[in-house]
Amino acid sequence: MTATGPIRVLIADDQPLVRRGLSLILSPDPAFEVVGEAGDGAEAVELAARLRPDVVVMDIRMPVLDGVAATGRLAAEVPDCRVLALSTFDLDEYVVGALRAGAHGFLPKDSSPEELGAAIRTVHAGEAVVAPRLLTRLIATYVRAPHDARPVPAGPADLTPREVEVWRLMATGLDNSGISGALDLSVSTVKNHITALFAKLGVRDRAQAVIAAYESGLVTARAAGD
């Protein structure tokens, strides 16, 4: 429950049983109000524009308009709505696409009800919900810098050396506490560096910052199987 009432949730999945199951998980909790269900991405965009949910729980693979394309449209047309993407597989190239398109995170479909509820709360609060190690593994598999790219140790020109180090450690899977320990900084100082880093990179959250680190060449993806 938020200060303004329950978190309004729209569920988008092409399988009626999945939609009903997610609704049955969330509805008994007074912290959530399921305001609608959509069977494809186009319907999700239409309903979100009309119902103005706080969070859309979005399946990645759907007919008519897939979850990635629907997420991109929501980011442009209903920017106050946050997207939590769902995927059958932990390692799924569509998840990277969803994060690029504007999703605030993703969960595998076999997550527990408790994990789903916690993820919706996190996304509603404006934070990325992707676990750092899982995100790093995902990007290491599917995101590759261009073949002619070379490491860019300084990142964008206006990043300080400390911000580059924070960015690098974030991309290797460390959370704020881990970065704090590695650099001998307070957690609050790490948070300040991350806020500045996001602004300078032009990214919205941790997920997009990690993607940017791989695509810039700051961190090199391991070869599959390493």
Side-chain angles (χ1 to χ4, degrees), residues 144-153 214-218 220:
R144 294 291 184 269
H147 293 303
D148 60 351
R150 57 186 177 81
V152 186
Y214 278 89
E215 293 186 326
S216 74
L218 179 72
T220 302

Side-chain angles (χ1 to χ4, degrees), residues 4-129:
T4 57
I7 299 171
R8 293 165 51 80
V9 180
L10 173 67
I11 297 169
D13 195 291
D14 63 328
Q15 298 181 40
L17 285 177
V18 173
R19 294 198 304 271
R20 178 54 52 194
L22 292 172
S23 181
L24 289 173
I25 287 170
L26 297 173
S27 295
D29 190 331
F32 306 114
E33 178 187 0
V34 177
V35 297
E37 298 179 13
D40 60 63
E43 186 181 12
V45 174
E46 177 190 352
L47 288 178
R50 178 157 52 88
L51 300 174
R52 299 287 166 167
D54 300 307
V55 176
V56 176
V57 177
M58 180 84 74
D59 185 25
I60 292 296
R61 291 171 175 161
M62 290 188 292
V64 184
L65 189 69
D66 67 26
V68 174
T71 296
R73 283 188 53 185
L74 286 175
E77 299 172 20
V78 195
D80 291 339
C81 173
R82 302 182 186 280
V83 174
L84 173 64
L86 297 183
S87 174
T88 303
F89 305 103
D90 286 352
L91 294 180
D92 188 335
E93 66 272 23
Y94 292 110
V95 176
V96 173
L99 295 174
R100 286 197 186 113
H104 280 69
F106 85 95
L107 285 181
K109 279 191 173 180
D110 60 358
S111 298
S112 69
E114 293 76 18
E115 288 170 329
L116 175 64
I120 292 173
R121 288 181 174 90
T122 300
V123 164
H124 181 254
E127 299 293 331
V129 78

